[in-house]
Amino acid sequence: MSGRWPQTLGFVLALSCGSAAAHSFGRVYNLPLPFWLYAWGATVALVASFLLLGYFVAQPSTARDQPLRDYSDHAVLLRLRQWRLPLLMQWLSVGGLALCITAGFVGTRSPYGNFNMTFFWIVFVLGFTYVTALVGNLYALLNPWRVLAESIGRGVQRYRTGLLRYPAALSYWPALGFYMAFIWIELFARTTPYSLAVMLSVYSAINLLGAGLFGIQSWFRYCEFFSVFLRLVAKMAPLEYAPPTPDGAPGRLRLHAPFMGLVRSQPQSMSLLLFILFMLSSTAFDGLRETVIWQKLFWLDLYRGVLQDWIGSNPLAAYPKMRALSLWWHGSWLLLSPFLYLAVYLLFIVFTRWLVNSTHSVRSLALAFAYPLIPIALVYNITHYYTLIQTQGIKIISLASDPLGLGWNLFGTARWLQRTIIPDPGTVWHVQAALIVIGHIIGVYAAHEVALRVFPQRRQALLSQIPMLVLMVLFTTAGLWILSQPMQSGA
């Protein structure tokens, strides 16, 4: 091997990393304390929570079986209906979608100067998700594509019911497919304001055509992936919103104990379980792919060990081919990630079934413990992306005055918050570590509640949670390890 190899490969690695899409605050950062200290601390917290739950929570919570408090006819909500506020919010949602599309087609090409990039990727995809976890599934009311479909359906009854009966075998597979395509676009497509407008236009057409083909209810239950995603996230919230029914009954707003939505029901389809696992695996993969160790795996180890004889031994000459192959490499691992997580998850479920000598099938147990994974997926999402709200999300205040980037100042805020905010790395990492541990503790609690209902004996329920605890510790440690790794330059 030539003596120039390390330097040349380092140059190639630097090029590849520098051009990668980024989600973080753009600086290499190592742990303020050794990784093993955080890992042990997190493990102790999870084990302690398991022991405390096992000792103090001997019976399933009665909150799960209590009727939900219905506030739909509260005086405040009735007054808001009289003011037609829900209808106004729906059409503001449609207006936001239209503005994102318009801004992408006719506004500035600068991603940071165009309203649609910040509003869609930061305010909606991130911020609205976190709001949903706190206040419930507002998206069921505000979904702009459903609002448009319902408007068409009021005039065309056949459109509302659909031309075809939705095949039961499809279940949530279409939503999973759209979700995978969306994350692939987010991570690899390097969207611009224009390409985002094209994507939203195409997705709008797909939703309106799909609703007419299979019916509004079926399409937005099984196929529109934002509906599925936010409905799952909302299971953590204390509020439950049921949209108006096709027969004209108004929407209902109900209150229950926090996190009870995770144990009140369970998914009935393996496709929905895979959807939940992809919520977890896609964020973990996004964090992993930005680390130096993952980049070296492809650009150094795979190239030198496998690809060198195929595409040439000169790194600079091989770079264009390696760059093209990197898209396939990363994309394949992204799409495989939920199935890899499923294999690990089912392994622990099999161990659980054997440990308690359960008569339940592996499939039924896997579905029963699926919803307790949602808090883990959510906190991974928050820890990985929340700094974008702090650094770029607040810029929506100035962008609202100049949505097209043409120098307008509609609301007098176009010059607000112009300075770049750089979060303190130490604070960020400690918040991330704390959130990951809290999310896993909530998952442990929800899984314990499920176990007390699935297994008739308390001893069985406690034993069943030992493999799940090990799985939680594994996920926690893996998440902390990813956060502890040095990031590629430009990440």
Side-chain angles (χ1 to χ4, degrees):
M1 187 69 63
S2 170
R4 295 178 301 162
W5 168 261
Q7 293 86 351
T8 305
L9 185 64
F11 171 71
V12 174
L13 180 59
L15 284 176
S16 67
C17 295
S19 62
H23 298 289
S24 193
F25 42 78
R27 57 190 288 187
V28 175
Y29 178 63
N30 294 311
L31 290 177
L33 291 175
F35 161 71
W36 66 266
L37 190 60
Y38 284 103
W40 276 108
T43 300
V44 169
L46 288 176
V47 172
S49 65
F50 166 77
L51 294 175
L52 289 172
L53 286 171
Y55 183 79
F56 289 106
V57 184
Q59 298 294 329
S61 172
T62 58
R64 175 187 180 273
D65 303 315
Q66 292 176 353
L68 278 65
R69 300 178 187 176
D70 197 318
Y71 288 89
S72 307
D73 297 323
H74 191 277
V76 173
L77 294 178
L78 290 176
R79 180 61 59 88
L80 292 177
R81 280 199 208 120
Q82 289 176 356
W83 293 343
R84 304 185 70 82
L85 183 61
L87 182 63
L88 174 62
M89 293 172 62
Q90 287 179 330
W91 286 105
L92 282 175
S93 174
V94 174
L97 172 64
L99 180 56
C100 282
I101 294 174
T102 302
F105 284 133
V106 303
T108 178
R109 293 295 183 259
S110 169
Y112 293 98
N114 196 303
F115 173 87
N116 75 346
M117 294 289 283
T118 298
F119 183 79
F120 178 76
W121 290 113
I122 311 297
V123 176
F124 173 62
V125 174
L126 298 183
F128 193 75
T129 296
Y130 309 151
V131 170
T132 298
L134 295 175
V135 303
N137 191 15
L138 285 175
Y139 187 71
L141 171 69
L142 302 179
N143 183 342
W145 296 292
R146 181 156 191 163
V147 172
L148 292 172
E150 293 282 2
S151 299
I152 298 173
R154 279 192 286 272
V156 184
Q157 182 61 30
R158 187 60 173 166
Y159 180 89
R160 171 177 291 278
T161 57
L163 298 175
L164 301 174
R165 182 184 180 90
Y166 186 76
L170 280 181
S171 191
Y172 293 92
W173 291 110
L176 177 60
F178 284 128
Y179 188 23
M180 286 181 164
F182 172 76
I183 297 298
W184 190 95
I185 290 171
E186 178 187 5
L187 300 186
F188 306 121
R190 302 181 192 174
T191 53
T192 63
Y194 180 82
S195 63
L196 176 59
V198 172
M199 181 184 77
L200 291 175
S201 300
V202 172
Y203 190 61
S204 298
I206 291 173
N207 279 322
L208 295 179
L209 290 173
L213 185 62
F214 293 114
I216 295 174
Q217 289 294 112
S218 295
W219 181 263
F220 288 99
R221 176 176 176 80
Y222 295 106
C223 302
E224 203 277 294
F225 79 93
F226 283 121
S227 296
V228 178
F229 176 81
L230 293 169
R231 190 163 64 240
L232 291 171
V233 171
K235 290 187 177 295
M236 297 185 61
L239 290 173
E240 180 180 293
Y241 174 74
T245 59
D247 59 8
R252 311 303 297 177
L253 185 67
R254 304 182 181 94
L255 179 69
H256 58 74
F259 313 121
M260 280 298 104
L262 301 171
V263 299
R264 282 182 176 274
S265 60
Q266 68 179 54
Q268 302 300 314
S269 165
M270 291 297 289
S271 58
L272 189 56
L273 170 59
L274 272 169
F275 193 102
I276 295 170
L277 290 172
F278 190 63
M279 291 169 62
L280 183 61
S281 69
S282 59
T283 306
F285 172 78
D286 189 23
L288 179 63
R289 80 182 182 93
E290 293 180 344
T291 63
V292 170
I293 192 171
W294 179 262
Q295 292 293 329
K296 284 182 176 179
L297 177 63
F298 176 76
W299 290 95
L300 178 61
D301 299 333
L302 189 64
Y303 174 72
R304 189 166 56 183
V306 178
L307 301 176
Q308 182 177 352
D309 294 337
W310 176 42
I311 61 177
S313 58
N314 186 328
L316 290 177
Y319 175 76
K321 292 182 180 179
M322 288 290 291
R323 188 65 185 162
L325 286 173
S326 70
L327 187 63
W328 290 95
W329 166 261
H330 293 304
S332 298
W333 280 110
L334 172 68
L335 300 182
L336 283 173
S337 65
F339 300 97
L340 296 175
Y341 269 59
L342 178 65
V344 174
Y345 178 65
L346 291 180
L347 178 64
F348 281 88
I349 291 294
V350 169
F351 184 42
T352 297
R353 184 173 182 268
W354 170 81
L355 190 63
V356 301
N357 194 26
S358 173
T359 57
H360 294 284
S361 68
V362 171
R363 181 182 184 276
S364 66
L365 289 177
L367 294 176
F369 289 99
Y371 285 158
L373 296 174
I374 294 175
I376 304 172
L378 180 65
V379 296
Y380 273 136
N381 186 285
I382 296 173
T383 56
H384 192 62
Y385 299 118
Y386 87 92
T387 54
L388 285 174
I389 296 177
Q390 184 179 355
T391 57
Q392 181 62 27
I394 60 172
K395 301 293 179 65
I396 198 67
I397 297 174
S398 59
L399 291 170
S401 283
D402 187 17
L404 305 184
L406 300 179
W408 300 347
N409 194 4
L410 299 177
F411 307 111
T413 62
R415 301 293 179 266
W416 290 18
L417 303 170
Q418 293 299 303
R419 291 182 60 187
T420 301
I421 298 175
I422 302 178
D424 175 67
T427 301
V428 168
W429 205 94
H430 284 91
V431 170
Q432 290 173 328
L435 285 172
I436 285 181
V437 174
I438 291 171
H440 282 80
I441 290 175
I442 295 172
V444 168
Y445 166 73
H448 185 70
E449 284 282 343
V450 171
L452 289 172
R453 288 173 170 81
V454 170
F455 301 108
Q457 299 177 4
R458 183 187 178 193
R459 180 177 178 274
Q460 281 186 308
L462 288 175
L463 284 176
S464 74
Q465 290 310 286
I466 294 176
M468 299 305 294
L469 175 65
V470 175
L471 181 62
M472 298 289 185
V473 170
L474 177 64
F475 281 161
T476 301
T477 306
L480 292 173
W481 178 83
I482 289 173
L483 290 175
S484 74
Q485 296 303 300
M487 294 294 172
Q488 58 185 350
S489 61

